[in-house]
Amino acid sequence: MYTITGLTKQYRQAKRSVTALDGVDLEIPDGQLVAIQGPTGGGKSTLLQMLGALDRPTSGSISLAGDDLSTLSETKLGRIRATEIGFVFQGFNLIPTLTAQENVEMALVPIGTPRAERETRARAALASVGLAERGSHLPAELSGGQQQRVAIARALVKEPEVLLADEPTGNLDEETRDEIMDLLEGLWRDRGLTVVVVTHDTAVAKRAERRLHIANGKLKDVTTRR
């Protein structure tokens, strides 16, 4: 799925250069559940941005299913983000004035999906995360765990090959955290999705098939569970 070679990312801060990624080499095969841990500022979020085609490296290459994300045009990168990659964030990022159903449908608007199809696919996505009866509810009428389920449904409705989750349980209590991880692990097993989770929570990381650790921009493989 992903092949990364010599990936480096540097930023300018005031008068100095900061290296967020330092020569990262990584392969993630199709259908793997990966957790990435590391200290704040160690490079986790930068790496996830690269995997999500949200930023370009300073040097090195990153390919997704054979497409070199470091060289594609912005138009092609936008298409990949819209169709091949699903994103889940710690803050849910739901539009407060839209219902759960409408929030999920929004993921299909940029790719020109007809309205009737958007509605059908959004209902199916909500059902797949256990919220078939909550489609008409606004985010404020849902619990934190339910809001995150809506966010996962929004990511899934595109039928992506990859699901990228940035601290998806960071705003949840332990019981709800475990429920969300049960859901993500079930989707990984049942659909064969490639899932990458960035987390500070070791209990979450231990659920992954593979654990990576990044610090000072350098990545190492910690363990393979299965």
Side-chain angles (χ1 to χ4, degrees):
M1 181 59 67
Y2 282 104
T3 300
I4 297 173
T5 305
L7 198 68
T8 298
K9 181 64 178 180
Q10 295 177 328
Y11 296 99
R12 293 295 301 179
Q13 284 188 356
K15 296 181 179 180
R16 67 190 184 98
S17 177
V18 175
T19 300
L21 297 176
D22 188 4
V24 170
D25 295 319
L26 175 65
E27 288 196 7
I28 300 177
D30 288 357
Q32 192 166 69
L33 173 56
V34 181
I36 303 175
Q37 290 182 281
T40 299
K44 301 188 303 298
S45 294
T46 301
L47 180 56
L48 200 71
Q49 288 174 346
M50 297 293 173
L51 295 173
L54 295 169
D55 200 356
R56 294 181 185 271
T58 302
S59 63
S61 65
I62 174 169
S63 67
L64 170 61
D67 290 320
D68 188 346
L69 303 182
S70 56
T71 61
L72 292 180
S73 68
E74 287 300 326
T75 299
K76 290 181 179 179
L77 289 176
R79 187 70 180 179
I80 286 173
R81 290 192 297 267
T83 59
E84 297 183 30
I85 304 172
F87 297 91
V88 180
F89 302 98
Q90 179 177 347
F92 316 143
N93 292 358
L94 302 178
I95 300 173
T97 55
L98 299 183
T99 65
Q101 167 89 15
E102 291 166 339
N103 266 283
V104 175
E105 287 183 36
M106 286 299 294
L108 298 174
V109 172
I111 57 177
T113 306
R115 181 174 179 177
E117 183 180 347
R118 292 202 308 263
E119 293 174 350
T120 299
R121 288 172 62 175
R123 283 194 294 269
L126 285 169
S128 74
V129 298
L131 292 180
E133 306 302 321
R134 297 283 182 168
S136 62
H137 288 65
L138 294 171
E141 299 171 324
L142 301 172
S143 68
Q146 289 171 335
Q147 290 185 60
Q148 191 61 293
R149 286 174 182 267
V150 174
I152 293 170
R154 181 182 56 195
L156 293 175
V157 76
K158 299 186 292 183
E159 299 178 353
E161 297 295 325
V162 180
L163 187 64
L164 303 179
D166 190 0
E167 297 285 358
T169 63
N171 287 339
L172 307 175
D173 60 47
E174 288 189 8
E175 181 178 354
T176 309
R177 173 201 69 190
D178 292 342
E179 291 174 357
I180 292 298
M181 286 308 300
D182 287 344
L183 174 61
L184 290 176
E185 191 168 356
L187 291 168
W188 163 61
R189 290 186 182 281
D190 296 341
R191 300 193 183 198
L193 284 172
T194 302
V195 181
V196 181
V197 179
V198 163
T199 182
H200 281 96
D201 191 335
T202 299
V204 170
K206 286 182 176 179
R207 301 284 296 267
E209 178 183 20
R210 182 182 182 192
R211 294 169 61 191
L212 306 174
H213 186 274
I214 189 167
N216 298 318
K218 295 185 177 296
L219 187 74
K220 66 178 180 179
D221 214 317
V222 177
T223 184
T224 300
R225 181 166 67 93
R226 300 179 180 85

